[in-house]
Amino acid sequence: MALRLLLLLLTATILISQAQGIGNLGMDCCLKYSEKLISVNRLTSYTLQEPESGCLLRAVVFTTKKNKKICASPTDADVQKMMQNLDKRVRKDKKRQPPRYRGRPKRQKQQKV
């Protein structure tokens, strides 16, 4: 009897946790597009939201420097330009190499034994 009760409680707990989305990855989906566009200088990156990811709306999700998410239409010409500008910035940053040391190396002092 106690085993049945324990099994029933365990099953109920699993069903409730799945209904509440505890087993979900916790991904936020864009439900609509933002009306305002933000300056490219305030953006750090973007991701594409596709129906394959479990969201109904196809969107471009921009991330700002303050870590805010902005949803935009992927078919909008301004949005596509912003995506291209971000891609160029990332490529430019990857090409940058650390500065080289210029000048003669300093002579090391010899230690006396």
Side-chain angles (χ1 to χ4, degrees), residues 42 44 48 101 103:
R42 293 184 179 181
T44 57
L48 297 175
Y101 178 78

Side-chain angles (χ1 to χ4, degrees), residues 37 60 62 72-84:
L37 287 179
V60 178
F62 290 106
S73 172
T75 58
D76 188 353
D78 290 333
V79 171
Q80 291 177 0
K81 285 180 186 177
M82 292 168 72
M83 291 166 56
Q84 289 173 354

Side-chain angles (χ1 to χ4, degrees), residues 83-105:
M83 291 166 56
Q84 289 173 354
N85 287 340
L86 283 170
D87 289 340
K88 285 180 187 176
R89 189 188 309 165
V90 168
R91 274 187 255 131
K92 185 178 178 182
D93 288 344
K94 283 185 179 179
K95 285 183 180 179
R96 272 191 205 160
Q97 294 187 7
R100 294 182 183 171
Y101 178 78
R102 296 183 186 195
R104 285 178 29 198

